[in-house]
Amino acid sequence: MRPRRVDPALLAIVGEGFFSRLSFGLISFALPLYAYRLGLSLTAIGFLLSLNLVVALALKPLMGAAADRFGRKLGFTVAIALRSLVSLLLVFATLPWHLFATRTLHGVSISIRDPAANALIAEHGGKKAIASAFAWYQTAKSVAGALGKTAAGVLLALTASNFS
């Protein structure tokens, strides 16, 4: 039995899922600490952390329809660009409302990305390996999220003298 050739587009989608979740794993660990440092209450921090998910859930049906209408590749590309913008904007966030606006934009990017990525995985996974393609994608995202949070904890421990 010969090994199955993996579609390069599928590798790119899985790679994007891995690296995106790795970077946002780092961010998700540090963001509450930074929000607390900016003076947000624990309740406000809880709302901040769930804001992107609330926005994504509200917009996913609409963005899925948009991906069907305008193209899955375009949707995926726009989502990646927005996620990159979110990371850049977090660098410049100095006020609490900056964090809330950025998390809202992050939710928009998730709502665009998830339907487009899932459709592209189904398209490029191969008729006999769709479940396997989704499994690899979810595994890559889960492993990267855990690695990102772990790396953030280690980095914070190593630089704890710089964090007050």
Side-chain angles (χ1 to χ4, degrees):
M1 178 184 269
R2 291 178 51 184
R4 182 171 102 49
R5 184 182 162 280
V6 178
D7 186 331
L10 182 62
L11 285 176
I13 295 164
V14 171
E16 186 280 332
F18 178 85
F19 289 113
S20 177
R21 188 60 64 98
L22 182 68
S23 65
F24 279 95
L26 288 161
I27 291 168
S28 71
F29 188 96
L31 186 64
L33 300 172
Y34 185 61
Y36 187 75
R37 188 173 185 183
L38 289 180
L40 270 69
S41 69
L42 293 179
T43 303
I45 292 170
F47 180 74
L48 176 69
L49 294 178
S50 63
L51 181 59
N52 66 329
L53 181 60
V54 170
V55 170
L57 289 173
L59 295 178
K60 274 186 185 182
L62 178 65
M63 295 305 174
D68 288 337
R69 180 177 173 136
F70 300 110
R72 295 172 295 279
K73 290 179 187 175
L74 176 62
F76 193 63
T77 303
V78 168
I80 292 170
L82 282 177
R83 289 170 78 83
S84 299
L85 179 61
V86 164
S87 297
L88 178 64
L89 290 174
L90 284 170
V91 171
F92 298 106
T94 57
L95 298 170
W97 76 266
H98 295 159
L99 296 179
F100 285 99
T102 304
R103 290 294 279 187
T104 299
L105 185 61
H106 185 211
V108 172
S109 75
I110 292 168
S111 72
I112 297 169
R113 180 182 168 272
D114 287 353
N118 289 336
L120 288 169
I121 290 168
E123 180 180 325
H124 293 282
K127 291 183 181 188
K128 295 184 178 183
I130 290 175
S132 178
F134 276 101
W136 277 109
Y137 179 69
Q138 292 300 326
T139 300
K141 285 177 35 176
S142 296
V143 168
L147 287 175
K149 290 173 186 169
T150 302
V154 169
L155 288 172
L156 185 61
L158 293 173
T159 61
S161 63
N162 297 329
F163 186 80
S164 58

